[in-house]
Amino acid sequence: MDLKSSLKLAAGGVALFALGAFTTAVAIGRVPVSVGVWANRSQIEQVVREYLLTNPDILVQMSNRLDAQQQTADQKARDDALFDVGGMPTLLDPKVAYVVGPSDAKVTVAEFFDYRCPHCKASLSAVKSLMDSGVKVRVAFIERPILTPDSHLAALAAVASRKQEGKYLPFHLALMETTGEFSKERILDIAKTVGLDVAQLEKDMGDPSVAESINQSTELANRLRFNGTPTFVINDRIIMGELRDEELQNMVRQLSG
């Protein structure tokens, strides 16, 4: 929602609030009935209008407060949902995630991503730097193709590549490093550059278990209220949006103790 729309909603909210407050004041006797009878709806709205025109900054303040309250409510809903699904162990289920790193790591980073998502691609450097940093951390890659039809096609190929040992991660990185649309031919060309058996990959993309894996990861993301990509879960902390190298590594170091 743009600022103009937000301000219109806020203005309407102020007017309704003022009208309701005035009516309540009359009802409980704080304003004489005679004043309440005199001050009809149009008169109250005129007073509110004049006040808002004199103090327009209150609309911005109200809009910011409402946005902050909504963000807090949304975050709590996501935190509650993560607890309800069973927390990080559910995110590490091999049916939905490809996991790298030691199982006894103190810190686990799970990322929900879309191969067409520019913010996911912007976060790639942070994820790669973390894996190359020598820090003991476990990383889970979870498909969340929500942007375009070719997002789903790329996800099918990525999940299918898990059937060829050691090929998923280089294929994932290559897809993330590629910009633009993903035709099937382009995806297979990328697969070939990282050493995948392309004929086998194409066959595995049609395996019902591959589609089911994406269905399950999508359902999980929906249950968690992860409506955008990338979404990171670092132990039990949920981060919406892209992360930079220093941000991600600082979070992991703090949790590593």
Side-chain angles (χ1 to χ4, degrees):
M1 183 181 296
D2 58 26
L3 180 60
K4 187 174 181 181
S5 299
S6 297
L7 294 182
K8 284 182 178 180
L9 285 175
V14 170
L16 288 172
F17 176 79
L19 182 59
F22 189 86
T23 303
T24 301
V26 171
I28 66 176
R30 289 191 175 181
V31 175
V33 174
S34 58
V35 175
V37 172
W38 171 82
N40 60 34
R41 182 187 180 102
S42 63
Q43 291 171 320
I44 295 171
E45 289 177 347
Q46 180 61 29
V47 171
V48 172
R49 180 177 183 276
E50 291 174 359
Y51 178 79
L52 293 177
L53 289 173
T54 305
N55 303 275
D57 59 307
I58 194 173
L59 297 179
V60 176
Q61 294 174 26
M62 288 184 63
S63 180
N64 291 341
R65 173 70 70 85
L66 289 170
D67 285 345
Q69 289 178 343
Q70 185 62 55
Q71 289 173 11
T72 299
D74 289 345
Q75 186 64 47
K76 184 180 185 305
R78 288 189 288 266
D79 290 341
D80 290 346
L82 181 60
F83 177 82
D84 290 342
V85 302
M88 185 59 76
T90 301
L91 276 58
L92 298 176
D93 186 338
K95 293 178 182 177
V96 299
Y98 183 86
V99 183
V100 297
S103 60
D104 62 341
K106 290 183 179 180
V107 182
T108 298
V109 177
E111 181 190 5
F112 289 76
F113 57 85
D114 183 308
Y115 287 112
R116 288 299 308 278
C117 167
H119 299 291
C120 300
K121 295 181 186 296
S123 301
L124 179 61
S125 173
V127 176
K128 288 174 64 178
S129 295
L130 177 64
M131 291 191 297
D132 294 339
S133 67
V135 175
K136 193 174 183 179
V137 62
R138 187 166 45 174
V139 181
F141 299 92
I142 305 175
E143 312 289 334
R144 176 61 161 144
I146 58 173
L147 295 180
T148 63
D150 54 331
S151 297
H152 190 266
L153 186 61
L156 277 175
V159 174
S161 75
R162 298 178 190 175
K163 294 179 177 290
Q164 298 185 41
E165 187 175 355
K167 297 301 183 183
Y168 172 82
L169 191 55
F171 188 39
H172 165 79
L173 296 177
L175 288 171
M176 273 297 173
E177 289 167 351
T178 302
T179 58
E181 296 181 359
F182 285 114
S183 65
K184 186 173 183 179
E185 292 71 23
R186 192 180 192 198
I187 291 170
L188 295 179
D189 283 343
I190 295 169
K192 186 176 181 179
T193 65
V194 298
L196 276 157
D197 181 332
V198 174
Q200 186 62 47
L201 178 69
E202 193 168 8
K203 179 180 178 181
D204 290 337
M205 286 173 68
D207 189 324
S209 68
V210 170
E212 180 58 23
S213 175
I214 295 174
N215 289 339
Q216 289 188 36
S217 64
T218 297
E219 181 183 353
L220 176 61
N222 290 339
R223 289 180 64 189
L224 292 169
R225 302 170 184 262
F226 293 173
N227 52 11
T229 54
T231 300
F232 293 89
V233 181
I234 305 175
N235 284 2
D236 59 354
R237 181 181 178 186
I238 299 169
I239 309 292
M240 307 290 289
E242 68 184 69
L243 289 174
R244 299 299 180 184
D245 294 18
E246 188 174 346
E247 289 179 289
L248 181 56
Q249 293 207 33
N250 283 343
M251 291 179 195
V252 171
R253 286 195 189 98
Q254 290 172 6
L255 292 170
S256 297

